[in-house]
Amino acid sequence: MISLHRSCFLNNSGISGSSSLFSYKLNKLPPASVKATALGPNSDTNASVLIENNNAFKEITQDDTSFAADVDINLTVAGGDREVYYDDAATEDQLVTPWSVSVASGYSLLRDPHHNKGLAFTEKERDAHYLRGLLPPTVISQDLQVKKMMYSIRKYKVPLQKYMAMMDLQETNERLFYKLLIDNVEELLPVVYTPTVGEACQKYGSIFRRPQGLFISLKEKGKIDEVLRNWPQKDIQVIVVTDGERILGLGDLGCQGMGIPIGKLSLYTALGGVCPSACLPVTIDVGTNNEQLLNDEFYIGLRRRRATGLEYAELMDEFMTAVKQNYGEKVLIQFEDFANHNAFDLLAKYGTTHLVFNDDIQGTASVVLAGLVAALKVVGGTLADHRFLFLGAGEAGTGIAELIALEISKQTNMPLEEARKKISLVDSKGLIVKSRIDSLQHFKKPWAHDHEPIKKLVDAVNGTKPTVLIGTSGVGRTFTKEVVEAMAALNDRPIIFSLSNPTSQSECTAEEAYTWSKGRAIFASGSPFDPVEYEGRVFVPGQANNASIFPGFGLGLIMSGAIRVHDDMLLAASEALAAQVTQENFDKGLIYPPFKNIRQISANIAANVAAKAYELGLATRQPRPKDLVKYAESCMYNPAYRSYR
């Protein structure tokens, strides 16, 4: 079977200006050299596709396609060598053709989310693509469609209803979905991502309508390569994968964790400009230990207890191997919401063989470090001058702690072991100390310092005297009034980061932090909080949201052709984000820049990350662009409608 569809293309020398570049899906065919010719509906000549395969030629002819173009490309189906992520090879003023299984026209075009424009189809396009009578007679602009959609979404009072409306739009008109999200990012980010996405995952079975992404379960063991080939897009650059065991702070949601990869990749496109057709959400379904889900008649996943040990490891290894075989060395695999015992092992195992990134360990660390670097401009001193106390010693807490220690070591030439001594962690059993080392998980052992055992958080605050308190516990309201007042007693400007998601799991609210510290706290949270008025002053809480970092970070890896992730790239991303905080932001109490400028922020992060990749010799796209920021901007997906022939 041969099928043709519009795709994204970037060659080694930059963005191609040709409008005749297409992706050819050769399902279950070996590598081939392809030549294609497509001609218009009024032409006397039929469209043809010629496949050269092992010196045997087969011609496939299709009648009544929609325009003329000649294409010569070399395609490696199995290896995924093509470097594709920019959405439109054509420039904005060139006409393009909406390729699907065949040239999409009429009824099928209106139901193709990649090319549907709804009432924005022009009179000429309605004639050319057999749309007469299938649409009301009016023609409206994309901007008016955005206005209408925002009017409709704001009518909903329940956040989950807004989420479902956005997902429906994504499945019917992709460009309008991203235009809407980009233009209203501050309002819609909490709808398509945290905190609403958490509720969506909890109720995913009952709200499930159309399948999105790939579901790879234990039933597919031994067939994962075939499953990946079932995905219609072949030029994948970013995969976000979860096994659903630790979704936000909500625990094991099994197969219903798919909302997280879908949400993350929506942000890769909207905030980082990565082409949506180059993004693949994946859920690895190995069962669930959530009894409520196992007994739920609407649950969509495997009804069995979670696989562990060799059974789990073999499935993940088959998946990772198949991804590289299908999409090549440079596909970014982002691990998302794996439980601690798997997250660290997977990152360690595949970090040397694949381009992998764990957002919970590394992305959270990078965004928190950026906030701390920015906060130093308010409180003064260097990172090495401060002491840090964490509530929570899982993948987020230890990941942040390690990146802080790395930055301190880099700035001061202090040995990493010494830098770690400035950081203390509290877990469910109390302060992590040397006397507990034999019973600690391996990722906690670097944080076992010489100190007497302490059980309660408030005692740990008074005992270690931190200047910075960071919550990654996943347990709500653990930064009590007593704890916040203890931090305020020790510091003129206590730095308090309450990072657990969703909002219900936040260690304290913005209002509590500002009120209990008498307006002196520098506060940031994982989920959004409204501005707080205290004694006549308005405080705007910062949001330490990974969405500030990972879209730009991923774009930087893609545009440089990086083959591995290095810790120095994470530090480069943190420094780039911190540099975007203006004095105007500081005056409002912000230590993160607002999301309204996020695409420009992402371009700067991408440039910094790409520069570090070139510096470390990990970039494969040569030659290096002269202006990496402008290059990043040029690579970003633009959701504006295209004009069809």
Side-chain angles (χ1 to χ4, degrees):
M1 170 185 172
I2 299 286
S3 59
L4 302 93
H5 66 285
R6 283 286 297 118
S7 186
C8 320
F9 189 86
L10 183 74
N11 58 30
N12 282 328
S13 60
I15 298 169
S16 172
S18 171
S19 62
S20 306
L21 293 165
F22 302 91
S23 169
Y24 292 77
K25 299 183 285 184
L26 282 74
N27 296 335
K28 309 203 177 355
L29 286 177
S33 174
V34 178
K35 177 174 177 129
T37 304
L39 298 140
N42 299 321
S43 171
D44 294 328
T45 308
N46 293 333
S48 66
V49 178
L50 189 65
I51 303 175
E52 178 184 354
N53 180 35
N54 298 328
N55 297 319
F57 290 84
K58 179 178 180 182
E59 183 168 338
I60 296 175
T61 302
Q62 179 181 331
D63 293 336
D64 199 30
T65 52
S66 78
F67 84 116
D70 287 315
V71 185
D72 270 300
I73 60 173
N74 289 318
L75 174 61
T76 304
V77 177
D81 284 335
R82 294 178 59 214
E83 299 163 345
V84 178
Y85 63 87
Y86 184 77
D87 182 62
D88 289 305
T91 57
E92 295 239 354
D93 57 351
Q94 289 179 302
L95 298 176
V96 297
T97 295
W99 284 93
S100 183
V101 173
S102 60
V103 176
S105 285
Y107 191 81
S108 63
L109 180 55
L110 293 178
R111 279 146 186 82
D112 177 357
H114 306 297
H115 303 114
N116 178 31
K117 300 196 290 186
L119 292 178
F121 282 109
T122 64
E123 299 286 352
K124 182 178 179 182
E125 289 170 335
R126 295 179 189 208
D127 285 330
H129 292 282
Y130 311 104
L131 296 172
R132 286 290 174 191
L134 301 181
L135 291 168
T138 188
V139 176
I140 65 175
S141 68
Q142 189 180 30
D143 287 337
L144 187 57
Q145 287 180 315
V146 168
K147 182 178 179 180
K148 178 183 175 183
M149 281 303 305
M150 285 307 300
Y151 176 80
S152 297
I153 287 171
R154 286 168 180 155
K155 288 287 187 181
Y156 292 115
K157 301 303 179 186
V158 178
L160 186 61
Q161 291 177 327
K162 296 183 179 184
Y163 173 89
M164 293 170 67
M166 289 294 291
M167 292 304 101
D168 283 344
L169 180 60
Q170 188 178 25
E171 285 297 297
T172 55
N173 188 331
E174 185 177 79
R175 285 183 175 271
L176 182 58
F177 169 84
Y178 285 112
K179 175 72 170 171
L180 192 73
L181 184 52
I182 291 167
D183 289 356
N184 301 274
V185 63
E186 291 182 297
E187 182 174 349
L188 293 179
L189 186 61
V191 173
V192 300
Y193 195 54
T194 183
T196 310
V197 72
E199 183 183 0
C201 288
Q202 289 176 307
K203 300 176 180 177
Y204 206 78
S206 59
I207 67 172
F208 182 81
R209 295 180 182 177
R210 303 178 188 89
Q212 293 177 285
L214 273 181
F215 295 86
I216 299 175
S217 75
L218 288 166
K219 290 182 178 181
E220 282 70 60
K221 190 174 183 182
K223 305 175 185 176
I224 294 180
D225 184 72
E226 181 181 343
V227 171
L228 290 179
R229 290 173 183 271
N230 288 341
W231 186 250
Q233 305 293 343
K234 304 305 176 187
D235 303 311
I236 301 302
Q237 291 293 336
V238 184
I239 293 172
V240 176
V241 58
T242 186
D243 70 354
E245 189 170 3
R246 192 202 61 81
I247 298 297
L248 301 175
L250 302 171
D252 186 350
L253 298 184
C255 188
Q256 296 188 169
M258 177 58 96
I260 295 296
I262 292 169
K264 288 280 185 182
L265 287 169
S266 296
L267 300 186
Y268 258 114
T269 297
L271 312 188
V274 178
C275 178
S277 64
C279 298
L280 173 57
V282 176
T283 289
I284 305 290
D285 186 358
V286 295
T288 179
N289 295 333
N290 187 324
E291 292 292 343
Q292 184 177 351
L293 290 179
L294 291 173
N295 296 319
D296 183 352
E297 63 178 328
F298 297 133
Y299 182 56
I300 60 174
L302 290 179
R303 294 180 185 274
R304 55 157 286 173
R305 308 288 292 180
R306 276 192 171 272
T308 58
L310 185 62
E311 186 179 19
Y312 180 91
E314 286 178 347
L315 188 71
M316 287 302 303
D317 199 54
E318 183 186 349
F319 169 71
M320 296 297 289
T321 301
V323 164
K324 186 181 281 193
Q325 287 176 343
N326 276 273
Y327 307 126
E329 185 84 6
K330 291 175 283 186
V331 62
L332 172 60
I333 304 168
Q334 179 168 311
F335 296 123
E336 197 69 43
D337 287 357
F338 285 77
N340 292 337
H341 57 275
N342 288 321
F344 289 101
D345 290 345
L346 290 171
L347 190 59
K349 181 176 182 180
Y350 296 108
T352 57
T353 59
H354 293 68
L355 183 67
V356 295
F357 170 69
N358 186 300
D359 191 40
D360 304 298
I361 298 173
Q362 297 166 297
T364 302
S366 189
V367 76
V368 172
L369 178 59
L372 293 173
V373 171
L376 294 180
K377 297 177 183 178
V378 178
V379 301
T382 65
L383 278 177
D385 297 326
H386 289 266
R387 296 177 303 281
F388 305 85
L389 179 65
F390 286 76
L391 176 63
E395 53 196 282
T398 55
I400 299 166
E402 185 68 8
L403 199 65
I404 292 171
L406 283 169
E407 182 71 357
I408 291 173
S409 177
K410 175 186 170 184
Q411 291 179 358
T412 63
N413 293 321
M414 182 187 299
L416 184 59
E417 293 76 13
E418 287 298 313
R420 286 176 178 149
K421 292 179 181 178
K422 296 182 175 292
I423 304 168
S424 299
L425 278 70
V426 173
D427 65 8
S428 60
K429 294 181 176 61
L431 189 66
I432 295 176
V433 294
K434 274 282 179 65
S435 61
R436 293 178 52 197
I437 198 162
D438 291 339
S439 63
L440 293 173
Q441 295 165 285
H442 66 89
F443 54 87
K444 294 182 182 181
K445 290 184 177 181
W447 312 103
H449 305 316
D450 290 318
H451 202 287
E452 69 275 8
I454 297 177
K455 291 288 187 183
K456 295 175 62 177
L457 178 60
V458 67
D459 294 333
V461 170
N462 290 320
T464 62
K465 295 181 170 50
T467 56
V468 180
L469 178 63
I470 298 175
T472 61
S473 63
V475 181
R477 304 302 181 265
T478 43
F479 288 176
T480 63
K481 181 178 181 182
E482 190 180 18
V483 169
V484 174
E485 287 179 343
M487 284 294 296
L490 290 167
N491 305 283
D492 289 334
R493 298 299 306 272
I495 300 173
I496 299 174
F497 283 10
S498 176
L499 301 178
S500 293
N501 287 315
T503 308
S504 60
Q505 306 305 114
S506 187
E507 284 79 9
C508 70
T509 67
E511 184 176 10
E512 289 167 345
Y514 292 125
T515 302
W516 293 338
S517 68
K518 294 183 169 50
R520 292 190 281 119
I522 296 173
F523 177 79
S525 59
S527 290
F529 283 103
D530 292 330
V532 175
E533 184 175 350
Y534 176 77
E535 293 189 350
R537 289 186 62 192
V538 176
F539 297 90
V540 182
Q543 189 181 358
N545 192 322
N546 292 15
S548 298
I549 283 281
F550 73 79
F553 185 82
L555 179 62
L557 295 174
I558 293 169
M559 70 186 231
S560 63
I563 55 173
R564 298 290 179 270
V565 171
H566 192 281
D567 286 336
D568 284 355
M569 297 176 181
L570 299 170
L571 298 177
S574 296
E575 292 162 3
L577 178 58
Q580 300 298 304
V581 186
T582 66
Q583 187 58 51
E584 181 184 356
N585 300 148
F586 286 127
D587 292 343
K588 294 179 180 178
L590 287 168
I591 54 173
Y592 289 100
F595 272 96
K596 64 181 180 182
N597 301 321
I598 187 60
R599 279 170 69 98
Q600 184 59 47
I601 292 165
S602 292
N604 280 276
I605 292 171
N608 262 34
V609 171
K612 187 58 67 173
Y614 282 105
E615 180 186 323
L616 295 170
L618 295 173
T620 63
R621 196 179 304 284
Q622 300 294 342
R624 169 180 168 161
K626 291 181 180 178
D627 189 327
L628 287 170
V629 175
K630 287 185 178 179
Y631 185 64
E633 292 170 349
S634 73
C635 292
M636 285 184 166
Y637 167 81
N638 184 346
Y641 287 145
R642 308 307 307 275
S643 297
Y644 298 153
R645 287 182 173 84

